[in-house]
């Protein structure tokens, strides 16, 4: 109840969406609170060895050559056979990557030395050494069988893997993050490292594929001790580093449009979204009171007041009858029973707590225009002309959009306006090229495919891609806060539960916070990496994107995301599942105060939890990508009753999140019926103001729905056939292609000069005897090929 009252006056959330959170926050999420004692273990392993080598000097006091010499000494120690000795050396290297916090006075120093040491470690080949060790640990059948036999898996089962993955994550994250004063050699280092991670340098596959394999191995139950949170965080950061973030994607899109000769983008979507303002959600308590008054028959007139709704630019119509002013949106939902967050008992207890005086009326500034330029597809122009010709002439001209003979003047003007806003996407060009390549494989010849990191990754993922998507969604389901603990679900807490379970209430509270935080971080990493994959594959080739998205849909991604949002979303976004004094690097340089139940409950003073809001926006963006222009998937949203779930998410006053929710509502409004649209006019108004307009899109009326029979199964089957044709044409190339020219002229075949080995003339007679004279001539074989 308290969380609901808090959501009534939700303030504007000062949240800036980006590729990642702050550098320190991203590093702190690598460690669970139960891992905190290991920071001291790493320090001891380093200092015991370092004292013997440096004779009482501190790490920051050494010059570059001495630091390099010591790292080389540590790397030599990794090559010993003894497993325990290797682990101690790996811990010493991890302490270096963690920023030698024993020699630092504040958090800034720890982060500085962490970056400095990460570059130093990379330059001396540490990443390659750790990659070999990681491969050994993944193939360690003894550890797998030991974990499978145990009734309960804990932190101790994944010690070696966690140390290796932590070092690799710190190196990737520190080298990936660019900062102003970086020396030129660091910039060179960054580019070399990016190439090394994206291209199959040391193995036959990119590094990301090894991590994907770890995910599937974990989900199949063969390796339950794998520390999944660290694997997923590293996988996300490797994809972010090698493929590029959202701004890199935007720049890539602009460049690709130039190469294809397409007009520039009408606007920079990142900038438009950053400048958008959040809209006010309805005031829940007031609406509940009005509903109750209506039910009890109290229909008193009220003074005019500003409409407290999503539509921040409209004011209440003074000529409208006040009796109709009761909020239709929520009453509709309450009647439907889908969105009933409160039972009647709870409603009655909330209403008296409402403050007596109304908040002061705000002045609203009217927008100068809509935020997005409208777009029109080629199909839209064709459909418009087809309908117009049928109406005025009585026959159609197929896909001809130039001939306007016989059509009245207003139609000419309409076509002109449509063409002014015509938008050809990169996907449209790629689909057209693919159709031509399928139609004329001989005359068009081989397609030139650029060896980009994205292309290399797709080729490597292709044959096991369905398993990767299913595994990621399984883990996402297990980490979702709405999921109930089931016996058959996978255990994602193996790398957060300590060997000895908590005894006191305080320890239980701390572990509870740690487990919730652990799940939130997993959701954050999976949502971010799925979105990155979808966006990069879509830009690289539309059918690569469609292949991934179709497997996500087949693996029930759409109901899973809706299940995730079917919770009190304000509670999730404002959750305080963190103990700031235990976060790295704070806990390394400050003495830990005595934890009490009050200090654990207090959490941080932030208005919202960055990672949870980031996850919500990512999941909404994934849902948009899966359903855009797909009628069958839009109908899935309708069938799963997503409208009330999505409308509840509009209570979060953050412009970008609201935009993606409104987009999802827009695509299904025409299927929800006239009564729904009539009862949800505020939401319709918000869609009009915030979502891009598609001319001729009948989203607000849906008059032709009954007359248009969609064959949803055929739509997915056609798409699947196109994807399979693309994959087989580009990636299933047999060595002897059926289109390869055959030389069947006897003279030219016999006249070819063959490179023979130098010693061939010594064994020529022997070869003739064995291969020619002693072989029987099978004349029937010749006859068979005539």
């Amino acid at each position: 109840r308290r969380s609901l009252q808090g959501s009534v006056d939700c303030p504007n959330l000062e949240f800036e969406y980006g590729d990642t959170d702050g550098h320190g926050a991203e590093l702190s999420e690598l460690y669970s609170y139960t891992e905190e004692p290991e920071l001291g273990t790493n320090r001891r392993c380093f200092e015991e060895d370092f004292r013997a080598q440096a004779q009482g000097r501190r790490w920051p006091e050494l010059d570059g050559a001495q630091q390099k010499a010591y790292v080389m000494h540590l790397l030599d120690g990794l090559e010993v056979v003894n497993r325990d000795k290797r682990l101690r050396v790996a811990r010493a290297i991890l302490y270096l990557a963690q920023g030698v916090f024993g020699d630092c006075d504040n958090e800034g120093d720890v982060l500085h030395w962490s970056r400095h040491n990460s570059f130093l470690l990379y330059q001396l080949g540490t990443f390659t050494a750790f990659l070999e060790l990681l491969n050994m640990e993944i193939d360690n059948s003894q550890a797998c069988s030991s974990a499978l036999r145990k009734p309960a898996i804990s932190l101790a089962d994944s010690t070696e893997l966690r140390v290796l993955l932590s070092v690799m994550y710190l190196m990737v994250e520190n080298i990936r993050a660019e900062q102003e004063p970086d020396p030129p050699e660091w910039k060179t280092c960054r580019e070399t490292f990016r190439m090394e991670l994206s291209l199959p340098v040391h193995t036959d596959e990119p590094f990301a594929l090894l991590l994907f394999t770890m995910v599937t191995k974990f989900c199949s139950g063969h390796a339950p001790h794998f520390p999944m949170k660290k694997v997923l965080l590293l996988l996300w950061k490797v994809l972010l580093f090698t493929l590029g973030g959202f701004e890199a994607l935007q720049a890539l899109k602009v460049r690709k449009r130039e190469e294809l000769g397409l007009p520039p983008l009408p606007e920079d979507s990142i900038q438009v979204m950053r400048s958008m303002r959040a809209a006010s959600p309805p005031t829940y308590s007031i609406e509940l009171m009005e509903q109750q008054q209506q039910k009890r028959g109290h229909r008193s007139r009220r003074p005019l007041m500003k409409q407290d709704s999503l539509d921040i630019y409209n004011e209440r119509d003074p000529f409208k009858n006040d009796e109709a002013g009761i909020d239709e949106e929520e009453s509709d939902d309450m009647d439907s029973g889908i969105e009933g967050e409160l039972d009647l008992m709870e409603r009655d207890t909330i209403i008296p707590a409402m403050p007596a005086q109304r908040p002061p009326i705000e002045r609203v500034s009217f927008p100068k225009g809509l935020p997005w330029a409208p777009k029109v597809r080629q199909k839209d122009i064709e459909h418009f002309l087809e309908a117009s010709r049928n109406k005025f002439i009585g026959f159609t001209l197929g896909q001809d959009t130039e001939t306007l003979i016989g059509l009245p003047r207003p139609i000419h003007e309409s076509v002109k306006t449509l063409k002014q806003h015509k938008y050809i996407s990169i996907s449209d060009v790629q689909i057209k090229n693919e159709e031509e390549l399928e139609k004329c494989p001989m005359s068009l010849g081989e397609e030139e495919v650029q060896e980009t990191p994205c292309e290399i990754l797709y080729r490597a993922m292709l044959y096991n891609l369905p398993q990767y998507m299913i595994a990621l969604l399984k883990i996402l389901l297990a980490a979702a806060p709405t999921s109930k603990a089931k016996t058959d679900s996978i255990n994602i807490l193996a790398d957060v539960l300590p060997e000895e379970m908590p005894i006191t209430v305080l320890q239980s509270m701390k572990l509870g916070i740690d487990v919730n935080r652990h799940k939130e971080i997993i959701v954050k990493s999976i949502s971010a990496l799925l979105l990155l994959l979808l966006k990069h594959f879509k830009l690289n080739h539309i059918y690569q994107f469609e292949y991934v998205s179709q497997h996500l849909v087949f693996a029930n991604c759409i109901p899973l995301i809706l299940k995730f949002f079917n919770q009190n979303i304000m509670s999730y976004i404002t959750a305080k599942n963190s103990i700031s004094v235990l976060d790295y690097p704070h806990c390394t340089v400050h003495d830990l105060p005595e934890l009490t139940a009050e200090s654990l409950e207090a959490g941080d003073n932030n208005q919202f939890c960055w990672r949870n809001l980031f996850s919500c926006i990512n999941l909404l963006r994934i849902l948009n990508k899966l359903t855009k222009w797909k009628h069958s998937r839009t109908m899935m949203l309708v069938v799963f009753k997503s409208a009330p779930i999505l409308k509840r998410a509009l209570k979060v006053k953050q412009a970008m999140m609201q935009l993606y929710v409104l987009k999802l509502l827009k695509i299904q409004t025409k299927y929800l019926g006239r009564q729904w649209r009539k009862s949800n006019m505020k939401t319709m108004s918000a869609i009009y103001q915030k979502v891009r307009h598609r001319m001729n899109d009948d989203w607000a009326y849906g008059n032709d729905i009954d007359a248009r029979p969609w064959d949803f199964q055929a739509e997915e089957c056609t798409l699947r056939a196109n994807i399979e044709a693309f994959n087989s044409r580009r990636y299933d190339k047999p060595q002897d292609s059926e289109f390869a020219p055959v030389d069947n002229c006897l003279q030219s075949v016999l006249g070819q000069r063959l490179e023979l080995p130098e010693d061939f003339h010594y064994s020529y007679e022997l070869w003739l005897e064995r291969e020619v004279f002693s072989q029987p001539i099978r004349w029937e074989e010749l006859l068979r090929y005539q």
Side-chain angles (χ1 to χ4, degrees):
R1 194 156 65 237
R2 196 184 313 147
S3 66
L4 182 77
Q5 281 177 322
S7 75
V8 170
D9 301 315
C10 170
N12 280 310
L13 303 182
E14 297 299 322
F15 171 82
E16 190 165 321
Y17 184 79
D19 293 318
T20 60
D21 201 349
H23 187 57
E26 290 295 339
L27 295 186
S28 74
E29 288 180 354
L30 178 64
Y31 312 104
S32 302
Y33 297 142
T34 44
E35 284 181 277
E36 190 202 349
E38 294 189 18
L39 292 168
T41 312
N42 299 341
R43 182 177 174 180
R44 280 195 302 278
C45 290
F46 172 82
E47 287 179 348
E48 283 168 14
D49 186 75
F50 188 66
R51 277 196 208 104
Q53 299 291 323
Q55 287 89 31
R57 297 177 70 187
R58 294 162 66 240
W59 176 259
E61 293 169 4
L62 303 183
D63 60 29
Q66 290 168 324
Q67 287 180 348
K68 281 181 181 176
Y70 182 68
V71 171
M72 290 305 290
H73 154 75
L74 286 177
L75 291 175
D76 289 342
L78 283 178
E79 296 180 11
V80 297
V81 177
N82 187 305
R83 192 179 167 85
D84 291 333
K85 283 182 181 174
R86 270 208 317 270
L87 178 60
R88 292 181 69 78
V89 174
R91 282 193 180 281
I93 292 172
L94 175 55
Y95 176 70
L96 282 176
Q98 285 170 338
V100 287
F101 47 81
D103 296 327
C104 297
D105 300 323
N106 56 53
E107 294 171 39
D109 285 353
V110 177
L111 294 176
H112 162 77
W113 281 108
S114 180
R115 282 196 89 223
H116 174 275
N117 293 344
S118 293
F119 277 98
L120 177 68
L121 288 168
Y122 172 68
Q123 286 163 347
L124 298 174
T126 311
F127 194 86
T128 312
F130 271 69
L131 184 56
E132 288 172 11
L133 290 173
L134 182 65
N135 275 308
M136 278 169 55
E137 279 302 322
I138 291 168
D139 298 333
N140 185 347
S141 55
Q142 188 184 346
C144 291
S145 58
S146 164
L148 284 165
R149 282 196 305 271
K150 285 192 175 182
I153 303 170
S154 67
L155 274 172
D157 295 292
S158 58
T159 305
E160 286 86 355
L161 277 168
R162 283 186 294 104
V163 170
L164 298 175
L165 290 165
S166 295
V167 171
M168 295 169 109
Y169 178 86
L170 288 165
M171 288 173 71
V172 168
E173 182 59 11
N174 279 316
I175 295 173
R176 182 194 68 79
E178 294 182 36
Q179 291 182 9
E180 282 300 319
D182 285 355
E185 62 267 22
W186 282 15
K187 289 177 183 173
T188 314
C189 231
R190 183 176 295 119
E191 286 311 307
T192 314
F193 194 25
R194 181 185 279 125
M195 292 297 289
E196 188 179 320
L197 288 173
S198 56
L199 303 174
V201 178
H202 301 293
T203 56
D204 298 334
E205 57 198 25
F207 177 57
L209 203 76
L210 177 70
L211 299 173
F212 271 118
T213 311
M214 287 184 78
V215 173
T216 49
K217 204 172 176 186
F218 171 80
C219 282
S220 64
H222 297 310
H225 66 298
F226 280 2
M228 242 334 90
K229 184 186 84 174
K230 285 183 168 54
V231 172
L232 291 166
L233 280 172
L234 180 55
L235 177 56
W236 167 37
K237 292 302 169 65
V238 165
L239 292 177
L240 186 59
F241 188 23
T242 54
L243 303 180
F246 300 129
E247 291 192 0
L249 265 163
Q250 188 75 2
L252 198 61
K253 194 173 182 180
V254 169
R255 194 165 70 246
K256 202 152 190 175
R257 286 186 72 82
E258 279 177 15
E259 287 170 8
L260 294 171
L262 296 172
L265 292 164
E267 69 273 295
D268 184 340
S269 52
I270 294 172
Q271 295 308 318
V272 173
M273 279 187 277
R274 280 181 182 162
S275 61
M276 285 175 88
R277 288 177 56 215
S280 310
T283 309
Y284 207 77
S285 306
I286 291 173
E287 288 164 356
L288 281 173
M289 178 176 253
E290 288 171 0
Q291 279 172 22
Q292 294 233 332
Q293 284 177 348
Q294 187 184 23
K295 282 173 187 171
R296 292 170 189 159
H298 297 305
R299 292 175 177 252
S300 57
R301 294 183 67 81
R302 292 170 293 133
L304 290 175
M305 59 174 282
K306 179 177 166 290
Q307 178 177 332
D308 195 359
S309 71
L310 282 162
D311 188 350
I312 58 170
Y313 302 120
N314 292 349
E315 303 238 359
R316 193 180 286 280
D317 185 353
F319 302 104
K320 192 177 176 185
N321 183 358
D322 270 331
E323 289 180 6
I326 295 158
D327 182 16
E328 315 92 345
E329 295 202 36
E330 296 297 338
S331 64
D332 175 59
D333 287 332
M334 289 310 232
D335 293 341
S336 70
I338 298 165
E339 204 178 288
E341 290 182 326
L342 304 168
D343 58 38
L344 285 167
M345 289 291 289
E346 285 178 314
R347 288 188 218 161
D348 287 335
T349 50
I350 286 178
I351 289 155
M354 194 189 75
Q357 73 277 10
R358 287 201 171 91
I361 294 170
E362 299 170 9
R363 291 264 172 221
V364 290
S365 55
F366 288 82
K368 289 176 183 171
L370 295 167
W372 305 99
K375 282 183 181 176
V376 178
R377 295 184 300 168
Q378 177 71 14
K379 278 184 190 174
D380 299 332
I381 302 174
E382 288 169 12
H383 289 158
F384 176 73
L385 276 170
E386 188 179 355
S388 301
R389 286 174 185 142
N390 267 329
K391 183 178 178 182
F392 293 106
I393 307 171
F395 65 88
T396 61
L397 297 174
Q399 296 181 336
D400 183 347
T401 57
E402 300 304 319
T403 310
L404 301 175
I405 297 163
L407 294 173
R409 192 79 204 152
I411 300 295
H412 287 235
E413 294 295 326
S414 301
V415 172
K416 185 183 173 186
T417 308
L418 287 172
K419 284 184 176 176
Q420 277 175 350
H421 294 99
K422 182 177 161 184
Y423 176 77
I424 302 169
S425 67
I426 294 168
S427 305
D428 295 338
V429 177
Q430 289 170 341
I431 289 169
K432 197 175 176 186
N433 289 347
E434 194 59 31
E435 284 171 2
E436 287 173 3
L437 282 164
E438 282 291 323
K439 210 180 291 177
C440 321
M442 307 242 344
S443 57
L444 290 174
E446 285 287 321
E447 179 194 15
E448 281 186 31
V449 182
Q450 284 186 315
E451 284 292 285
T452 59
C454 189
E455 181 64 31
I456 292 163
L457 179 67
Y458 181 78
R459 198 186 309 123
M461 287 176 69
L462 180 61
Y463 297 107
N464 291 317
L465 198 138
Q467 289 91 303
Y468 300 147
M469 295 304 115
I470 290 166
L472 287 172
L473 293 182
K474 268 188 180 177
I475 299 170
L476 185 61
L477 176 64
T482 48
S483 294
K484 305 286 182 287
K486 293 194 183 85
T487 49
D488 58 340
S489 64
I490 49 177
N491 175 22
I492 53 167
L493 304 177
D495 52 331
V496 69
L497 296 175
E499 280 186 280
E500 295 174 7
M501 291 308 281
I503 305 162
T504 65
V505 175
L506 196 65
Q507 287 173 338
S508 298
M509 282 178 72
K510 182 182 162 187
L511 184 60
I513 290 170
D514 206 2
V515 164
N516 289 340
R517 175 177 176 267
H518 182 82
K519 287 181 175 180
E520 288 172 4
I521 294 165
I522 287 175
V523 172
K524 172 187 173 182
S525 52
I526 291 178
S527 65
L529 77 87
L530 279 177
L531 181 61
L532 268 181
L533 281 177
L534 287 171
K535 285 188 78 68
H536 275 284
F537 285 153
K538 188 172 186 184
L539 198 54
N540 199 50
H541 199 288
I542 182 64
Y543 284 136
Q544 294 178 351
F545 161 80
E546 294 292 6
Y547 188 52
V548 175
S549 55
Q550 198 164 59
H551 279 294
L552 285 171
V553 172
F554 292 162
N556 280 335
C557 186
I558 291 174
L560 170 55
I561 294 176
L562 292 174
K563 180 185 170 75
F564 180 90
F565 279 96
N566 195 16
Q567 57 170 313
N568 188 333
I569 209 71
M570 277 307 302
S571 297
Y572 186 70
I573 279 166
T574 55
K576 305 283 188 201
N577 289 317
S578 58
I579 309 165
S580 50
V581 291
L582 294 181
D583 281 339
Y584 170 91
H586 184 279
C587 64
T588 59
V589 288
H590 295 95
D591 292 331
L592 185 64
E594 192 177 344
L595 291 176
T596 61
E598 289 74 25
S599 66
L600 288 180
E601 275 187 337
D604 51 29
N605 297 320
N606 291 340
Q607 190 186 19
F608 57 88
C609 175
W610 196 96
R611 68 172 160 264
N612 288 356
L613 189 44
F614 177 72
S615 302
C616 288
I617 292 174
N618 287 342
L619 289 170
L620 287 168
R621 293 184 77 180
I622 291 166
L623 202 49
N624 266 292
K625 291 218 163 293
L626 296 182
T627 51
K628 191 176 182 182
W629 303 122
K630 305 282 191 305
H631 296 291
S632 54
R633 297 174 194 176
T634 304
M635 287 310 293
M636 285 177 81
L637 291 178
V638 179
V639 168
F640 290 124
K641 295 186 168 63
S642 66
I645 295 169
L646 292 167
K647 265 182 56 192
R648 274 207 298 274
L650 286 169
K651 289 177 184 170
V652 181
K653 283 179 76 173
Q654 205 284 321
M656 194 169 180
M657 182 162 166
Q658 285 182 346
L659 173 68
Y660 286 111
V661 171
L662 291 169
K663 278 185 172 188
L664 286 165
L665 285 168
K666 179 187 173 180
I667 60 172
Q668 54 178 316
T669 47
K670 62 171 97 173
Y671 303 107
L672 294 172
R674 186 175 297 173
Q675 184 56 45
W676 188 92
R677 295 195 292 273
K678 187 180 167 187
S679 304
N680 291 274
M681 285 313 293
K682 293 181 198 174
T683 307
M684 300 289 280
S685 172
I687 292 170
Y688 176 83
Q689 284 175 346
K690 290 189 174 293
V691 182
R692 187 192 301 279
H693 287 271
R694 295 270 175 181
M695 294 182 180
N696 290 5
D697 183 5
D698 198 16
W699 68 272
Y701 301 98
N703 295 323
D704 59 344
I705 290 302
D706 299 332
R708 194 181 300 180
W710 299 110
D711 187 347
F712 301 127
Q713 204 168 1
E715 191 180 54
E716 289 289 351
C717 289
T718 308
L719 180 61
R720 191 171 192 176
N722 291 339
I723 294 164
E724 283 175 358
F726 163 76
N727 282 335
S728 63
R729 182 188 64 74
R730 194 186 269 196
Y731 303 108
D732 291 350
K733 290 177 184 169
Q735 292 303 310
D736 302 318
S737 171
E738 62 180 295
F739 298 124
V742 178
D743 186 356
N744 52 12
C745 173
L746 190 64
Q747 281 183 321
S748 67
V749 171
L750 292 175
Q752 284 178 5
R753 291 190 63 81
L754 291 172
E755 290 292 326
L756 299 169
E758 290 177 12
D759 58 344
F760 183 73
H761 63 279
Y762 294 122
S763 57
Y764 176 58
E765 290 181 4
L766 183 66
W767 179 85
L768 272 176
E769 183 64 39
R770 192 178 66 236
E771 298 294 331
V772 181
F773 303 141
S774 64
Q775 292 290 334
I777 299 170
R778 290 189 288 273
W779 298 105
E780 68 278 5
E781 291 288 316
L782 285 172
L783 290 169
R784 187 186 296 173
Y785 291 108
Q786 287 304 313

